[in-house]
Amino acid sequence: MMLSKESEEFIANLKMYLMTSGKNEKEIHEISQELRDHLEDAESRGKTVDSVTGGSPETYLKNLSSEMKFDVFGILKVLPMLILLLAAYFITGSAIRGDLSFSLLSIIAYPVITLFGVVSYINFMRKMSISTWSTKKTMVILMTVQFVISISFLAVLFLDTFILDPLYIYIPSREIMWVIAAAGIATFIAGALWSKSWFTIIIPILLVGPDFAMHFVDVTVTQQLIISSSTLYIGLALVMLFIFLKNRKQTGQ
Amino acid sequence: MSSSQMLKGILEGCLLGIIEKGETYGYEMIEKLESYGFQMISEGSIYPVLMRMQKEGFVQSVLKASPSGPKRKYYTLTALGQKEYEEFKLRWNELSHSVNRLVEEEIE
């Protein structure tokens, strides 16, 4: 049976809220299945999603969340893979381009900003899932978060390049860089198998694929920049479109 | 004890009573509660209570295929839940007796 748009939205928000609150995946699946079942019965009798939430999804989800424990083991299980993947995102591209050298500043600052970024996004999604923000407000908050993160990265890059004498840690030979790049690629593949999704393969391909390909063709630096950035943006747009179409198909069933 | 905690305690006792009458699932519990005259309960509020009751070992659940499609979660009472229900009945009798006495005296 098909649920109303409001109910589907409520279930999606419920999953998002509980996941970003660090609850157990299996328990989340169980309760969302149970509430879906309930909503089907309720809607077939002419009731709305308000009959479940009592009119306030926020209060209801907080109440539900307080009965579910924080899944420490679940998080400990994903953490190593996540750290490996993030490290691979940072290193693989540089290794392929052949400029694998990091200053002391960037080795400390990039992971800190990344951690801050990940925590901010999770927090944003958590707040968004129970809020009644307008689309405009949601976009403004998201863009502010993205702006702060990008500015922080740029600030480090700027400091690194112009102000501080980069304290280069270690510049490996070209052969070692290929080994590092291969290890990074292996991590992406392992990440895809582990998460059962293509994202950890598609996104790195878009990020480093053009650089890799241009190793073998003769192009100017400008052409290279244009090709790699347009591949990235067009690719990301295609991924978004794919997700959008897939979602629409699912809710349309 | 705050008033919402007291209501939760009462809802828990009522759910124990409903489940004691036989294996049942969420929406059916609401219908059964309604047949006893409960109207003020927001339907969703039973699920956090069911979660807690399951954690405390008062109820157990199984997933079974339902006619409408997705699997449905059916609850039954455990021995511990049975015991808890008996205790709830005693507590409730005492409480309702006292409240009734107080309220009726006020009316007179």
Side-chain angles (χ1 to χ4, degrees):
Chain A
M1 210 197 100
M2 212 181 117
L3 282 180
S4 69
K5 196 171 147 272
E6 287 76 22
S7 293
E8 285 293 351
E9 228 165 72
F10 168 69
I11 300 270
N13 283 337
L14 168 115
K15 284 186 190 165
M16 173 87 85
Y17 182 71
L18 295 176
M19 258 190 298
T20 50
S21 302
K23 307 296 180 185
N24 181 277
E25 219 182 314
K26 197 171 144 262
E27 277 179 39
I28 296 172
H29 180 74
E30 259 180 43
I31 187 66
S32 60
Q33 209 51 52
E34 199 173 16
L35 284 171
R36 176 179 289 278
D37 185 44
H38 184 111
L39 280 164
E40 280 179 6
D41 277 331
E43 288 192 342
S44 71
R45 287 164 179 78
K47 297 177 194 168
T48 67
V49 67
D50 286 348
S51 66
V52 165
T53 62
S56 167
E58 181 177 353
T59 317
Y60 184 65
L61 289 181
K62 281 185 175 163
N63 191 3
L64 204 60
S65 175
S66 71
E67 295 297 342
M68 296 167 79
K69 61 180 189 307
F70 187 73
D71 188 18
V72 184
F73 282 111
I75 288 169
L76 284 181
K77 264 195 301 196
V78 287
L79 213 56
M81 194 68 217
L82 219 57
I83 291 171
L84 266 178
L85 272 173
L86 285 172
Y89 277 113
F90 272 110
I91 294 169
T92 312
S94 308
I96 287 176
R97 274 191 300 272
D99 62 349
L100 195 67
S101 54
F102 289 100
S103 68
L104 195 60
L105 174 71
S106 60
I107 275 191
I108 296 165
Y110 286 144
V112 170
I113 300 172
T114 306
L115 186 72
F116 166 78
V118 169
V119 171
S120 308
Y121 278 122
I122 289 177
N123 229 342
F124 165 76
M125 288 192 284
R126 187 160 170 263
K127 292 266 159 59
M128 187 183 69
S129 61
I130 54 166
S131 77
T132 44
W133 297 339
S134 62
T135 319
K136 203 174 137 197
K137 191 173 175 189
T138 310
M139 288 314 285
V140 168
I141 295 172
L142 180 63
M143 273 152 74
T144 311
V145 173
Q146 269 169 340
F147 182 73
V148 171
I149 295 166
S150 316
I151 284 292
S152 315
F153 273 118
L154 281 177
V156 173
L157 195 69
F158 180 78
L159 281 175
D160 225 15
T161 328
F162 299 110
I163 311 281
L164 297 172
D165 259 344
L167 255 169
Y168 287 117
I169 301 291
Y170 172 52
I171 306 173
S173 70
R174 199 73 198 95
E175 287 71 34
I176 294 178
M177 281 194 214
W178 284 121
V179 172
I180 292 173
I185 290 164
T187 308
F188 294 139
I189 294 170
L193 291 175
W194 169 77
S195 64
K196 297 188 185 69
S197 77
W198 287 97
F199 289 96
T200 70
I201 289 183
I202 289 171
I203 290 167
I205 285 179
L206 296 173
L207 277 174
V208 304
D211 285 330
F212 182 72
M214 276 176 287
H215 256 288
F216 307 104
V217 279
D218 210 15
V219 283
T220 66
V221 177
T222 329
Q223 283 173 322
Q224 196 174 344
L225 263 177
I226 292 169
I227 292 170
S228 30
S229 52
S230 49
T231 316
L232 179 61
Y233 287 112
I234 293 169
L236 284 180
L238 285 176
V239 170
M240 297 284 193
L241 188 73
F242 173 73
I243 296 172
F244 174 73
L245 288 176
K246 205 176 145 197
N247 268 348
R248 209 172 56 171
K249 212 171 109 194
Q250 259 174 7
T251 43
Q253 262 167 9
Chain B
M1 203 202 280
S2 75
S3 69
S4 75
Q5 266 178 312
M6 195 164 106
L7 276 175
K8 264 190 194 170
I10 295 171
L11 181 56
E12 185 180 299
C14 295
L15 287 176
L16 286 169
I18 296 283
I19 300 168
E20 196 220 17
K21 295 181 198 312
E23 189 181 60
T24 181
Y25 61 92
Y27 197 81
E28 202 177 55
M29 290 182 212
I30 291 290
E31 286 181 324
K32 286 182 178 167
L33 282 172
E34 276 173 359
S35 74
Y36 284 94
F38 290 92
Q39 294 291 337
M40 67 291 193
I41 295 168
S42 134
E43 294 181 9
S45 63
I46 65 169
Y47 292 103
V49 179
L50 285 170
M51 271 183 175
R52 192 176 52 223
M53 284 161 59
Q54 189 157 22
K55 252 190 307 197
E56 284 168 356
F58 298 157
V59 294
Q60 55 194 17
S61 65
V62 279
L63 288 172
K64 286 186 195 171
S66 76
S68 67
K71 284 195 172 170
R72 183 170 270 170
K73 205 170 176 183
Y74 285 86
Y75 293 86
T76 46
L77 224 54
T78 62
L80 195 66
Q82 191 71 47
K83 199 169 143 253
E84 179 64 22
Y85 183 51
E86 297 306 323
E87 282 167 17
F88 169 76
K89 280 196 282 191
L90 289 179
R91 283 201 304 272
W92 176 251
N93 273 337
E94 249 174 61
L95 181 71
S96 63
H97 187 65
S98 316
V99 174
N100 280 339
R101 243 174 43 188
L102 176 80
V103 174
E104 273 153 26
E105 203 178 66
E106 217 176 57
I107 290 167
E108 276 164 16

